[in-house]
Amino acid sequence: MSDATLHETAQDPDDFAVQIADQVESFLVAVMEVAKGDEPDSAVPFLLLEVSQLLLAGGRLGAHEDIVPDERYEPDTGPDADVDELRENLARLLEPIDVYSEVFDPYEPRKAPVPARISDDLTDVITDLRHGMAHYRAGRTSEALWWWQFSYFSNWGSTASATLRALQSIVAHVRLNQPLAELDGLDTDQAMGDETLEIEAGRVMVEEIAGPLGLRSPQ
């Protein structure tokens, strides 16, 4: 299935594979547009919306019975596209709030949060989704669905969920007029416990980053 036939009218729009592929493609296109930086004032709210919609597709994949590909071994899709430029563009765009704290597994007791980056997370998710899209566009629908489902459980589902929580948190802080704790000094190359986030902070407040990121506190 080529790019030209991805949305061919003969396809059943109610087909599960078509719906998942549409949501995946929509996310890929949207994040690439955000990364261009043409509309920085709407970046965070737009990413919040797009990640939320992608996780709806992930939820559907997660609730679906196990998908079995037609072929025993995964066909080669070639090398994954380089995402370094995309990651760097997103990092520049999100610089004030790119680093956040994440708990990898909420069911592991006393697991300390670790630093993560929204820019890294988004490019990681995109790499997984593009891999499945390569199968889909080549007409290997079952392989694409298997990959999206498998990688949802093993990587991009939890990654996108953590990213969504970070984006939702920054929007909530602004809309509820609740200044963030300090952020300067927090980085992903250092361990971070429960108290370190507050200690490691700088003085970047929501009021200082809301404007550039398209977020406004209520008057």
Side-chain angles (χ1 to χ4, degrees), residues 42-115:
S42 60
V44 169
F46 196 58
L47 288 173
L48 176 66
L49 175 62
E50 292 300 324
V51 176
S52 297
Q53 292 178 333
L54 176 66
L55 283 170
L56 172 60
R60 296 182 67 192
L61 287 164
H64 199 281
E65 62 185 7
D66 287 348
I67 298 168
V68 180
D70 294 332
E71 301 181 40
R72 182 176 180 182
Y73 299 104
E74 180 185 5
D76 185 13
T77 61
D80 291 331
D82 182 43
V83 294
D84 286 345
E85 183 178 0
L86 174 63
R87 179 184 291 107
E88 292 169 3
N89 289 342
L90 287 169
R92 281 193 296 269
L93 183 65
L94 301 170
E95 192 275 332
I97 48 116
D98 195 22
V99 180
Y100 69 98
S101 61
E102 175 192 7
V103 176
F104 282 113
D105 191 337
Y107 285 98
E108 290 188 27
R110 300 179 180 84
K111 193 71 172 181
V114 297

Side-chain angles (χ1 to χ4, degrees), residues 27-204:
F27 178 81
L28 295 175
V29 171
V31 175
M32 294 296 292
E33 287 298 313
V34 170
K36 291 179 181 178
D38 294 338
E39 298 183 25
D41 289 350
S42 60
V44 169
F46 196 58
L47 288 173
L48 176 66
L49 175 62
E50 292 300 324
V51 176
S52 297
Q53 292 178 333
L54 176 66
L55 283 170
L56 172 60
R60 296 182 67 192
L61 287 164
H64 199 281
E65 62 185 7
D66 287 348
I67 298 168
V68 180
D70 294 332
E71 301 181 40
R72 182 176 180 182
Y73 299 104
E74 180 185 5
D76 185 13
T77 61
D80 291 331
D82 182 43
V83 294
D84 286 345
E85 183 178 0
L86 174 63
R87 179 184 291 107
E88 292 169 3
N89 289 342
L90 287 169
R92 281 193 296 269
L93 183 65
L94 301 170
E95 192 275 332
I97 48 116
D98 195 22
V99 180
Y100 69 98
S101 61
E102 175 192 7
V103 176
F104 282 113
D105 191 337
Y107 285 98
E108 290 188 27
R110 300 179 180 84
K111 193 71 172 181
V114 297
R117 290 184 182 273
I118 297 174
S119 56
D120 288 342
D121 289 350
L122 290 173
T123 49
D124 196 20
V125 170
I126 282 175
T127 298
D128 276 347
L129 298 179
R130 281 178 172 173
H131 187 86
M133 185 59 75
H135 286 305
Y136 186 79
R137 286 174 171 158
R140 297 187 291 267
T141 301
S142 65
E143 189 73 42
L145 288 174
W146 172 82
W147 173 258
W148 284 328
Q149 185 186 60
F150 166 76
S151 57
Y152 169 76
F153 287 126
S154 63
N155 184 48
W156 75 259
S158 58
T159 302
S161 296
T163 305
L164 178 65
R165 180 159 176 76
L167 292 167
Q168 190 273 340
S169 178
I170 192 67
V171 172
H173 274 289
V174 173
R175 298 291 170 82
L176 298 176
N177 197 23
Q178 297 174 343
L180 286 170
E182 302 165 338
L183 298 174
D184 286 347
L186 176 62
D187 205 347
T188 54
D189 60 359
Q190 59 187 353
M192 182 175 59
D194 290 333
E195 298 179 359
T196 308
L197 176 59
E198 183 176 354
I199 296 173
E200 286 295 326
R203 298 185 177 179
V204 179

